[in-house]
């Protein structure tokens, strides 16, 4: 949710809200293809990209598309049960089992997946395998990068 709020806030400073009727049909079709159960979509235009926020089964999401309907990136809020086992293990071991406030799954233009996890005072980033990439202090914005081994569930 925090990431989605940041996305919406940052794009709204330079973007223009548009009505769904003004979004190209190829873009609407791409949203339905990638997120077939999406609802409550709102649209903005920014730097020739169509940005949308939406919900899927009550979970918040966002995505960016070209005018031809090619998806550029997406982010979906997920539950902690949807995270790789190693992420929970890392938090338990390195952050005193802090409560996960927000978990989201991101996909970039190349299709690479990563996870952003918000716990008190930190945003943690993990790769698709659930391996730790970095953490950002939400109180000082200091970035720490470590490669700490995290086990996978057998």
């Amino acid at each position: 949710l925090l990431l989605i709020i940041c996305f919406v806030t940052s794009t709204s400073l330079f973007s223009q809200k548009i009505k769904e009727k003004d979004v190209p049909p190829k873009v609407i079709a791409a949203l339905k293809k990638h997120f077939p159960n999406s609802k409550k979509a709102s649209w903005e235009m920014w730097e020739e990209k169509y940005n949308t926020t939406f919900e899927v089964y009550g979970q918040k999401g966002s995505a960016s598309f070209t005018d031809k309907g090619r998806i550029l990136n997406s982010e979906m809020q997920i539950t902690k049960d949807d995270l790789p086992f190693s992420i929970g293990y890392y938090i338990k071991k390195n952050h005193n089992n802090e409560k996960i406030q927000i978990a989201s799954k991101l996909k970039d233009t190349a299709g690479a997946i990563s996870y952003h996890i918000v716990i008190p005072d930190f945003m943690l980033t993990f790769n698709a395998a659930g391996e730790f990439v970095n953490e950002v202090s939400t109180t000082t914005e200091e970035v720490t990068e470590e490669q700490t081994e995290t086990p996978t569930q057998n």
Side-chain angles (χ1 to χ4, degrees):
L1 183 63
L2 177 65
L3 299 174
I4 293 169
I5 291 169
C6 291
F7 170 79
V8 171
T9 303
S10 65
T11 58
S12 65
L13 294 175
F14 305 101
S15 65
Q16 177 183 3
K17 289 186 182 236
I18 57 175
K19 295 183 180 191
E20 190 164 316
K21 69 179 181 73
D22 298 324
V23 177
K26 287 182 178 182
V27 176
I28 303 258
L31 173 65
K32 292 298 179 190
K33 175 185 170 191
H34 291 281
F35 304 97
N37 298 305
S38 62
K39 306 239 184 279
K40 299 181 183 178
S42 61
W43 293 91
E44 293 183 346
M45 181 79 173
W46 183 53
E47 292 185 356
E48 299 180 24
K49 296 178 196 114
Y50 291 88
N51 302 306
T52 183
T53 56
F54 53 89
E55 288 184 15
V56 176
Y57 300 121
Q59 301 286 27
K60 305 252 185 241
S62 64
S64 295
F65 298 90
T66 67
D67 61 344
K68 304 286 187 217
R70 185 170 68 88
I71 191 166
L72 299 171
N73 54 56
S74 66
E75 178 177 2
M76 279 300 306
Q77 180 181 6
I78 59 174
T79 68
K80 67 179 183 177
D81 295 333
D82 295 326
L83 294 170
F85 170 80
S86 56
I87 293 175
Y89 179 84
Y90 178 90
I91 292 169
K92 182 177 183 177
K93 183 178 176 191
N94 296 287
H95 287 280
N96 199 25
N97 206 24
E98 288 281 4
K99 183 178 192 267
I100 294 174
Q101 297 172 324
I102 301 167
S104 48
K105 182 177 183 178
L106 291 78
K107 190 182 281 190
D108 68 14
T109 304
I113 292 172
S114 61
Y115 296 92
H116 285 177
I117 311 300
V118 176
I119 60 173
D121 301 327
F122 292 98
M123 183 175 76
L124 311 172
T125 302
F126 297 85
N127 65 18
E131 297 167 330
F132 176 76
V133 175
N134 71 18
E135 68 183 36
V136 177
S137 169
T138 56
T139 57
T140 64
E141 296 187 18
E142 181 179 318
V143 177
T144 304
E145 293 187 21
E146 308 174 353
Q147 287 300 325
T148 304
E149 287 188 36
T150 51
T152 55
Q153 185 175 24
N154 294 330

